[in-house]
Amino acid sequence: MTTNESLTLTLRPGMWNWRYLAARGALVLLTTSLLMLDDWIQQWFTVANQADFELNYFLALLAFCLGLWLSGSKVFVSCILVLLAGMELVQLSHISYAGRPLDPVVLASLFSEFGDVREVALADFGDHVHVLFAVLVPYLAAWWLFMTYMRSDVRRWQRALGVMLVAAGLLSKPYRATYRDLNSFLPGPTRSGLHNSLNTFSFFLVHNVVRGSLHAAPAPAPGAAAALPEVAPFPSQAQHVWLFVADSLRSEHLGIMGYERDTTPNLARRMEQGLVARHGVAAAVSTAASMPLIMNAVREPGQLDQIRGLSTNLFKFAKEAGFTTYWISSQESKLLNDVGSRYVDVSITREDEPARFRRQGDEALLSLLQEQEWPRKTFVVVLLRSAHAPYEANYAHARDRYARWPDGHDQPRAVRQRNAYDNSVLYLDALLDRMLDEFDSLPGQRHLVVTGDHGQLLGARGMWGHNVLEPEVADVPVLSWSREAPEAVSAPMRQERWISHFEMSRWLANRLGSDVRPPSAIDGVHYVQGKNLYGANTFREVHEGVSLEFSDVLPVGHSLPVRPYNPVRSLVAR
């Protein structure tokens, strides 16, 4: 008997043909193993993938693959494999870049911030090309097995059973997402990537695509509904109040904050002129969440009525006090959502000057500032991107001046990314220096604050980027500079060791002639929110002590007792 005849005999269907059942069982076992192989392949390239073998999940996937074989449809199987492979490409790419599994909230941002994601992916493609190998090799091998050995003449009841098994595997998670909250679908680092993907994409499908609520559904404040802050008049003689927000700026990488590298020589010179530098606590871990919280002087998580009502909005305070208001940003206009755009007199974003921003990057902000004819009183908010990933792209036009630390691909990823980030901070320092010259040329009492919307992870515990509630992402600088003003005006900023974004916003509101008085403020207690303002969101409570102490991650709506307190991680201000 020839080899082909033997193989045909082995695969001949028959309920009691044991050789057929053994061959079919081997194919089911082999394809199940292939669908789990992508994690093991990625683990050859990065320790960030911590997937372990789970017997229950293996048995569930075994039943799923059995269903694929029983379906008898090569088209059906091909569609399912493309779906699974697509989810795994996204999942393993995120693990490779960020050092952690993808969750539903971050998945939603991949679509809303697709331009940023694409830019970073293209810049760092060489670091993560192994993901293509990890996913495509096992999935193409599985597809070849199905296309080669699948029989279309299966019995009707077998076909029905197969479709039912596949449907149960794919639809059980979305069904659970209709009645379970986000906590039930957060990824586990030791779970299979496909297991995490099914959870993440299922929750996203139900709450973002079907219900549209992952970003839109209101979320309650911690504990009982909090009363809105009181607003009282505050004496101020300020004529110019400016706020510079640098995307992804982390205070631990600023020379003026004790960093071993001299990344801020120009800001150091400004400290001799009265610049005050303090460690800050970010309001949130993403720009889209942090900016509305800053601009509305929000303290506790979940205060949507305060944000929507604009009762404590800085632009509103400025207009009421006779200031001309400006929003000048190198980022998208969508970030104007919830920051009080109705009170902005002059708004310039990347969409307004695409060619200029493409050509000049953040230096376009400087030229835009220099082109303005400033009125007697101004409130100006400038949103920069100079320290945002991909870091090396920000100073690519002036590498001879700012590539002080090696950022080539001959360096290990951790070294290269840290160096590139520090180079981008050095570039930001030079740009800020020129922008501060523009500010200091104005007449009268004037006040300026520089901060980051959030910090940045640079490989700590294998994690990168932001959008995650970790101490490094809450770590931002708060720099204040008052000119031709009484010493008492800057005293609140000088006297603090840590300054939260809420405290910073309240100080700015004072300069604009209003005081925000939250009814529940507790000295030394701050909050850092997750990446969303609406719907499924989380936060961490932060306490001041010898260091900043962070609570566990909690869902918005959870009431966390202020005492007793059990810190998880600490961030020491240097």
Side-chain angles (χ1 to χ4, degrees):
M1 180 180 296
T2 66
T3 302
N4 288 338
E5 289 173 342
S6 175
L7 185 60
T8 302
L9 176 63
T10 301
L11 298 180
R12 184 185 302 153
M15 193 61 187
W16 305 109
N17 186 331
W18 296 108
R19 296 182 66 185
Y20 167 76
L21 292 178
R24 185 65 58 170
L27 288 171
V28 172
L29 183 63
L30 181 57
T31 49
T32 302
S33 301
L34 286 171
L35 295 190
M36 298 182 70
L37 187 60
D38 51 3
D39 285 313
W40 317 134
I41 294 177
Q42 186 176 44
Q43 288 174 357
W44 296 345
F45 298 92
T46 175
V47 297
N49 191 318
Q50 304 173 42
D52 287 334
F53 177 81
E54 294 179 342
L55 180 60
N56 289 342
Y57 171 71
F58 174 76
L59 294 176
L61 190 59
L62 196 70
F64 181 84
C65 287
L66 175 61
L68 290 176
W69 282 105
L70 290 176
S71 70
S73 172
K74 294 181 179 180
V75 174
F76 175 72
V77 168
S78 297
C79 291
I80 297 298
L81 290 181
V82 168
L83 173 67
L84 300 183
M87 291 192 296
E88 281 298 85
L89 280 172
V90 177
Q91 177 70 255
L92 297 194
S93 295
H94 187 267
I95 291 174
S96 180
Y97 175 77
R100 58 190 181 274
L102 181 72
D103 64 58
V105 176
V106 174
L107 176 60
S109 72
L110 296 183
F111 295 96
S112 61
E113 302 168 13
F114 182 76
D116 288 349
V117 173
R118 179 183 59 191
E119 182 180 8
V120 173
L122 291 175
D124 293 342
F125 179 78
D127 290 328
H128 314 292
V129 69
H130 72 267
V131 173
L132 292 175
F133 175 75
V135 175
L136 295 182
V137 167
Y139 275 85
L140 286 175
W143 179 80
W144 180 83
L145 287 174
F146 280 112
M147 296 304 102
T148 303
Y149 297 118
M150 171 170 279
R151 297 186 64 93
S152 58
D153 56 346
V154 294
R155 298 174 183 177
R156 183 175 300 175
W157 69 268
Q158 291 176 316
R159 189 185 301 271
L161 176 61
V163 172
M164 288 176 58
L165 288 173
V166 174
L170 291 179
L171 300 180
S172 60
K173 297 288 187 180
Y175 173 70
R176 288 181 67 238
T178 62
Y179 63 89
R180 302 292 293 272
D181 62 17
L182 174 65
N183 290 332
S184 300
F185 290 84
L186 293 177
T190 60
R191 283 178 174 171
S192 161
L194 185 55
H195 188 179
N196 282 328
S197 293
L198 290 171
N199 274 330
T200 293
F201 281 85
S202 295
F203 193 87
F204 172 81
L205 174 67
V206 171
H207 290 270
N208 193 269
V209 177
V210 177
R211 294 179 176 176
S213 62
L214 193 54
H215 289 305
L228 291 176
E230 296 179 1
V231 178
F234 193 89
S236 176
Q237 301 300 316
Q239 289 184 257
H240 303 281
V241 181
W242 288 22
L243 170 64
F244 292 168
V245 181
D247 201 326
S248 308
L249 185 60
R250 178 175 165 185
S251 64
E252 281 196 343
H253 281 252
L254 272 62
I256 57 172
M257 308 297 289
Y259 188 44
E260 63 267 20
R261 290 177 169 177
D262 186 17
T263 56
T264 51
N266 294 293
L267 290 176
R269 177 173 51 83
R270 297 284 181 178
M271 293 186 72
E272 300 173 0
Q273 303 171 1
L275 181 72
V276 178
R278 294 291 182 267
H279 281 266
V281 181
V285 300
S286 72
T287 309
S290 189
M291 290 308 300
L293 295 173
I294 290 173
M295 297 307 299
N296 290 285
V298 175
R299 181 178 181 274
E300 296 91 353
Q303 304 306 310
L304 300 186
D305 288 341
Q306 181 181 347
I307 296 172
R308 289 167 171 161
L310 301 175
S311 59
T312 57
N313 183 265
L314 297 184
F315 280 124
K316 176 174 177 284
F317 292 155
K319 290 297 296 178
E320 291 174 344
F323 288 81
T324 302
T325 57
Y326 296 77
W327 171 276
I328 304 177
S329 169
S330 59
Q331 306 209 43
E332 301 94 334
S333 59
K334 66 182 179 181
L335 292 176
L336 280 162
N337 289 331
D338 297 312
V339 302
S341 58
R342 72 177 72 172
Y343 300 110
V344 177
D345 295 314
V346 178
S347 171
I348 306 174
T349 67
R350 191 164 70 188
E351 288 93 338
D352 297 314
E353 297 274 357
R356 184 190 296 205
F357 279 109
R358 209 166 33 243
R359 185 175 63 255
Q360 300 179 7
D362 268 7
E363 290 182 39
L365 296 171
L366 175 63
S367 61
L368 286 168
L369 290 175
Q370 293 171 337
E371 290 170 7
Q372 305 304 312
E373 295 184 3
W374 302 113
R376 188 178 65 87
K377 299 178 70 174
T378 63
F379 176 55
V380 180
V381 178
V382 178
L383 185 55
L384 302 102
R385 193 180 169 83
S386 305
H388 191 283
Y391 316 118
E392 61 274 14
N394 300 316
Y395 56 88
H397 62 291
R399 290 187 53 82
D400 56 327
R401 284 178 287 165
Y402 302 111
R404 178 177 298 179
W405 296 281
D407 61 357
H409 282 271
D410 56 331
Q411 303 286 328
R413 182 191 180 195
V415 175
R416 185 180 76 253
Q417 291 282 9
R418 178 199 178 199
N419 290 349
Y421 182 81
D422 290 346
N423 290 335
S424 71
V425 174
L426 185 67
Y427 168 67
L428 173 65
D429 171 76
L431 182 58
L432 284 175
D433 187 54
R434 299 167 67 190
M435 295 170 71
L436 264 61
D437 282 339
E438 179 68 19
F439 164 79
D440 204 28
S441 67
L442 299 172
Q445 186 180 134
R446 53 200 182 275
H447 308 276
L448 179 140
V449 171
V450 180
T451 190
D453 54 352
H454 50 74
Q456 191 79 342
L457 282 157
L458 294 166
R461 301 176 298 284
M463 293 186 288
W464 306 81
H466 48 272
N467 292 332
V468 60
L469 283 161
E470 292 292 332
E472 293 84 355
V473 187
D475 173 35
V476 292
V478 176
L479 315 178
S480 61
W481 198 32
S482 295
R483 306 290 280 170
E484 299 184 34
E487 185 71 19
V489 175
S490 60
M493 305 296 269
R494 294 181 182 278
Q495 293 167 359
E496 295 292 336
R497 188 180 183 191
W498 287 284
I499 300 174
S500 71
H501 270 166
F502 164 72
E503 292 169 330
M504 177 195 76
S505 297
R506 187 183 183 192
W507 187 81
L508 288 169
N510 290 168
R511 308 287 71 77
L512 296 170
S514 297
D515 187 33
V516 180
R517 301 173 180 174
S520 58
I522 302 170
D523 287 341
V525 178
H526 314 292
Y527 297 96
V528 183
Q529 292 199 43
K531 74 175 305 295
N532 283 338
L533 287 179
Y534 305 108
N537 200 15
T538 51
F539 73 96
R540 293 183 84 165
E541 188 173 278
V542 184
H543 285 221
E544 292 183 19
V546 177
S547 61
L548 290 180
E549 300 170 342
F550 289 73
S551 77
D552 292 314
V553 177
L554 299 164
V556 169
H558 179 93
S559 180
L560 178 66
V562 175
R563 300 288 188 273
Y565 186 69
N566 180 26
V568 176
R569 290 197 184 98
S570 298
L571 182 67
V572 177
R574 298 175 179 175

